[in-house]
Amino acid sequence: MKLLGKIAIITGATSGMGKAIAERFVHEGASVILSGRDEQRGKELESNLGKNGGNAFFISGDVSLESTNRKLVEEAIGKYGKLDIVVTNAGKLGLGSVTDISLDEWDETIKTNLYSVFYLSRFAIPEMQKAGKGVILVTSSIAAFKSFPNHAAYCASKASLIALVKEMALDYGPAIRVNAICPGPVDTPLIWDSAKAFENPETIVQQTASNTLMKRLGKPEDIASLALFLVSEEASWITGSAYTIDGGILTK
Ligand SMILES: NC(=O)c1ccc[n+]([C@@H]2O[C@H](COP(=O)([O-])OP(=O)(O)OC[C@H]3O[C@@H](n4cnc5c(N)ncnc54)[C@H](O)[C@@H]3O)[C@@H](O)[C@H]2O)c1
């Protein structure tokens, strides 16, 4: 068990990659605070993870708000007395080009993807500093490196996250490690929403899968494997890095 006794917060934990990461972390012995917006899905996941002796606790809230992130850290400390790992995984697409996107959609996307990481890190880091150690893992995207049509706010926010990760690694190392993962196309609800920016969503997703060198979409479990490695002791010399995990699609 690679995370035995560890306390982790995971945002966007009720679906897609966040759910797979939560399941893997609990399987590896961590107690996990599940952050999400969907009360029913959150409670179901909490109960499923609690079977077979796992420990998970759902807290609902919008991560674009400072108050939600404060609450997540307060609950972790109140319930478990410490916080070892934070995975800031929640994300929003915010489709539209610079001239098309509404100001509200732009703001909401930047707040969900970027401010949420700033807020959660801001509350988590002092607790990690008290313990003299901690790990922050941020979900960015290959959209940080490669442009996608009509994804202006998404690309901008995901690229900003990489700069923020490197800056936080510098400010808070060696006690706290901070890294990013940059997934390519992974089979979650989000990729199907992303495909709506194109004329034939179904065809685009199929083409994207065959465009990878591995000839398939990623599975949420593929991402969970990398997340587990990066938060574990096995990655103790890794900080300030951004890892692409994309079936090789960025080679093209
Ligand atoms: N699926 C992909 O192809 C892909 C590729 C690269 C990066 N990503 C990133 O991976 C992360 C996880 O996405 P996913 O693919 O698993 O999709 P998903 O839609 O299954 O998960 C995203 C989660 O974020 C939550 N969320 C969104 N806005 C929120 C808010 N304001 N407050 C609280 N929760 C909020 C959603 O409810 C959802 O549970 C996202 O950051 C996404 O940008 C996804």
Side-chain angles (χ1 to χ4, degrees):
M1 280 200 174
K2 292 189 174 132
L3 302 181
L4 194 61
K6 300 288 184 191
I7 308 302
I9 293 173
I10 301 170
T11 68
T14 60
S15 68
M17 298 179 206
K19 185 173 175 213
I21 293 170
E23 287 166 347
R24 188 69 62 88
F25 281 18
V26 168
H27 184 72
E28 292 291 335
S31 297
V32 176
I33 297 206
L34 310 160
S35 159
R37 288 177 303 186
D38 190 317
E39 195 83 33
Q40 196 189 334
R41 278 204 315 235
K43 288 285 176 200
E44 261 172 37
L45 183 61
E46 177 186 290
S47 143
N48 286 339
L49 291 177
K51 291 170 189 159
N52 308 317
N55 196 345
F57 182 58
F58 174 71
I59 299 175
S60 77
D62 176 347
V63 293
S64 69
L65 303 173
E66 184 190 18
S67 55
T68 302
N69 293 284
R70 178 187 282 115
K71 185 172 170 199
L72 286 171
V73 174
E74 281 175 358
E75 293 273 350
I77 299 302
K79 197 167 164 56
Y80 301 106
K82 66 166 188 164
L83 177 59
D84 301 296
I85 299 164
V86 163
V87 181
T88 63
N89 165 78
K92 173 179 164 56
L93 275 171
L95 293 181
S97 64
V98 163
T99 48
D100 290 342
I101 194 167
S102 71
L103 283 182
D104 283 349
E105 187 69 355
W106 173 271
D107 283 351
E108 210 184 300
T109 307
I110 301 293
K111 282 185 178 154
T112 302
N113 294 356
L114 180 59
Y115 278 46
S116 62
V117 178
F118 163 69
Y119 289 141
L120 191 51
S121 303
R122 193 170 160 84
F123 293 118
I125 286 167
E127 297 302 333
M128 292 174 168
Q129 283 175 318
K130 283 182 205 161
K133 59 183 178 172
V135 185
I136 297 175
L137 184 63
V138 173
T139 305
S140 174
S141 166
I142 58 166
F145 311 111
K146 177 180 164 54
S147 304
F148 293 91
N150 298 312
H151 283 66
Y154 189 73
C155 291
S157 57
K158 292 297 187 181
S160 305
L161 285 177
I162 294 179
L164 181 61
V165 158
K166 288 177 185 290
E167 199 281 339
M168 290 198 294
L170 181 68
D171 280 347
Y172 302 108
I176 299 172
R177 296 192 297 110
V178 191
N179 291 296
I181 50 177
C182 304
V186 180
D187 195 0
T188 69
L190 188 131
I191 197 171
W192 292 97
D193 286 344
S194 174
K196 288 179 194 155
F198 300 85
E199 263 178 30
N200 302 305
E202 194 91 20
T203 315
I204 281 294
V205 172
Q206 276 164 10
Q207 279 171 358
T208 307
S210 57
N211 225 359
T212 68
L213 302 186
M214 305 315 289
K215 304 292 171 203
R216 66 169 174 88
L217 295 179
K219 293 178 277 190
E221 294 73 21
D222 294 322
I223 309 304
S225 297
L226 179 59
L228 173 62
F229 168 67
L230 285 172
V231 304
S232 76
E233 275 303 305
E234 287 177 23
S236 64
W237 204 54
I238 300 177
T239 195
S241 290
Y243 282 78
T244 53
I245 171 164
D246 67 348
I249 204 166
L250 277 190
T251 56
K252 296 193 173 173

